[in-house]
Amino acid sequence: MASVVTFGEIMLRLSPPSNLRFVQADSFDIRFGGGEANVSLALSNFGVETSFVTKLPNNDIGQACINELRRYGVDTSNIILGGDRIGIYFLERGASQRGSKVIYDRAGSSISKADIKDFDWDKIFNNAKWFHLTGITPALGSNVAEICIEACKKAKEKNLTVSLDLNFRKKLWTSEEANKMMSKLMPYVDICMANEEDAEKVFGIKAKDSNIIEGKLSHEGYKEVAKEITERFKVKKVGITLRGSISASENLWSCMLYNGSEYFFSKEYLIKIVDRVGGGDSFTAGLIYSFLNGKDDREALEFATASSCLKHSIEGDFNIVSIDEVMTVYNGDASGRIQR
């Protein structure tokens, strides 16, 4: 059985080829992706047995999605079939000073119509060690939020480590709605992940002396953010990705980790972006892998940061990299030289 269980929505992703705009496109590239599924797949590439839980339509598109997960070794036996459709998101990839754009077509998706009786968490969590979800999933509807709470309760009964990525999506709910619901989930959370603005959007915890539009991020400000999250919700660790946006094509990338007493900041990478979607999920997967394998906080942070750095070089949501490739960057070789 899987060591790590993740729960959420996986969507069909449709993107114009290359950097074409929506209005220019006469075809779309097809991929699948979603926060929790991205974590499961990245962990599977690291050799971790992982199971992704969701609800998909019982049709050829749902099966194609399942096939894609199986292709990379993710256990799909806990996916429920039913409902009318898979959610879709359209992605227009930005370049230079033009930012990327996302359009959702996910209303009425199978997972958004799921019932709490659809999932047998006793069975799903059999022999599991870790449960992960994101703030995207409870935003899909009050019914899905109740499923998230039920899953977290059962995970804690079985002594699983629970991790949660705040992942605020303004197109799904308001900050007020997010605050109310996520505050109900946080008492079950051991490790909380966020990007440079999630804590502000969800909990009103803003990093001082930082401006994400200008790419100015204060380490001291994010220390305060992590400390407040830890003290307010009694979580054990907080991980935050720190994206310094120079443009849509070039970012500075680093991450931090706080364990309740010590702050750790990773090395910073200058990255040329192929596809930034899933960057935070790849960081989360790197942390989970590291902690399951006994790495200390500094090692875990550097491994997760190197892993998420590499994700930006890969098209699609999924971080298709090996441990050896991550360790090459981890050990200081970020040159991108050809491997022969």
Side-chain angles (χ1 to χ4, degrees):
M1 301 296 291
S3 295
V4 178
V5 175
T6 71
F7 170 65
E9 180 171 31
I10 186 168
M11 292 184 290
L12 177 68
R13 166 178 151 170
L14 301 177
S15 301
S18 187
N19 292 109
L20 291 179
R21 307 214 67 186
F22 288 135
V23 295
Q24 294 176 287
D26 54 16
S27 67
F28 289 96
D29 294 330
I30 297 174
R31 301 187 186 277
F32 294 97
E36 297 88 351
N38 298 343
V39 171
S40 274
L41 193 137
L43 285 168
S44 185
N45 278 325
F46 295 152
V48 178
E49 293 182 349
T50 179
S51 178
F52 175 60
V53 183
T54 192
K55 188 171 186 176
L56 288 170
N58 189 12
N59 59 30
D60 288 349
I61 302 302
Q63 188 60 51
C65 181
I66 291 172
N67 292 350
E68 183 72 357
L69 292 167
R70 287 176 176 168
R71 176 186 177 189
Y72 293 101
V74 176
D75 173 37
T76 60
S77 64
N78 292 309
I79 292 178
I80 302 300
L81 297 179
D84 297 325
R85 59 167 303 198
I86 190 172
I88 300 172
Y89 84 96
F90 298 86
L91 173 67
E92 177 186 285
R93 283 181 291 187
S96 191
Q97 277 65 49
R98 174 174 61 83
S100 296
K101 183 183 293 185
V102 170
I103 297 174
Y104 289 125
D105 177 18
R106 67 200 302 179
S109 66
S110 293
I111 185 64
S112 73
K113 299 297 183 181
D115 187 271
I116 199 167
K117 297 178 182 178
D118 284 335
F119 305 100
D120 182 351
W121 294 107
D122 276 315
K123 176 187 173 186
I124 292 169
F125 288 145
N126 185 34
N127 293 324
K129 298 178 180 178
W130 197 295
F131 178 53
H132 176 72
L133 73 165
T134 77
I136 300 171
T137 305
L140 299 176
S142 58
N143 57 317
V144 188
E146 289 304 312
I147 296 171
C148 291
I149 292 175
E150 178 69 15
C152 286
K153 286 181 179 178
K154 186 61 65 174
K156 297 314 294 182
E157 286 178 17
K158 292 181 172 292
N159 296 316
L160 273 67
T161 298
V162 176
S163 58
L164 172 70
D165 190 331
L166 294 181
N167 259 347
F168 178 73
R169 296 291 185 267
K170 66 180 180 181
K171 292 185 178 181
L172 294 180
W173 58 0
T174 66
S175 291
E176 292 74 20
E177 291 170 328
N179 189 322
K180 183 177 180 180
M181 185 60 232
M182 298 301 280
S183 294
K184 294 180 181 178
L185 283 173
M186 289 297 287
Y188 304 101
V189 174
D190 298 294
I191 302 178
C192 178
M193 269 73 73
N195 69 16
E196 65 281 343
E197 60 179 339
D198 283 335
E200 177 185 0
K201 299 297 184 183
V202 178
F203 296 126
I205 305 173
K206 180 177 172 57
K208 296 179 180 178
D209 301 320
S210 292
N211 187 319
I212 61 172
I213 301 299
E214 297 178 357
K216 297 178 180 178
L217 305 178
S218 164
H219 280 197
E220 292 303 315
Y222 284 99
K223 283 183 179 180
E224 294 178 10
V225 169
K227 184 177 181 180
E228 185 166 346
I229 292 174
T230 301
E231 292 180 349
R232 186 186 298 187
F233 299 108
K234 311 305 179 188
V235 300
K236 296 175 182 176
K237 299 178 192 289
V238 176
I240 301 177
T241 58
L242 302 172
R243 184 186 299 276
S245 294
I246 300 170
S247 71
S249 304
E250 190 173 68
N251 286 178
L252 294 171
W253 183 257
S254 63
C255 305
M256 71 159 288
L257 184 68
Y258 177 56
N259 62 15
S261 59
E262 293 183 274
Y263 301 93
F264 301 93
F265 286 87
S266 74
K267 66 180 70 173
E268 185 175 64
Y269 298 94
L270 174 63
I271 53 178
K272 305 289 185 178
I273 297 174
V274 172
D275 193 328
R276 61 170 281 173
V277 179
D281 303 321
S282 57
F283 171 69
T284 294
L287 285 182
I288 294 173
Y289 164 80
S290 297
F291 291 137
L292 285 174
N293 284 276
K295 295 181 183 293
D296 64 30
D297 288 340
R298 165 61 69 187
E299 292 172 326
L301 176 64
E302 293 293 357
F303 182 91
T305 306
S307 173
S308 53
C309 169
L310 285 175
K311 164 62 196 77
H312 290 78
S313 71
I314 299 170
E315 289 195 10
D317 283 43
F318 300 150
N319 192 24
I320 308 168
V321 297
S322 68
I323 293 173
D324 285 346
E325 288 171 320
V326 176
M327 290 306 297
T328 296
V329 176
Y330 175 102
N331 288 322
D333 183 358
S335 65
R337 291 174 60 85
I338 190 169
Q339 304 296 311
R340 299 184 188 274

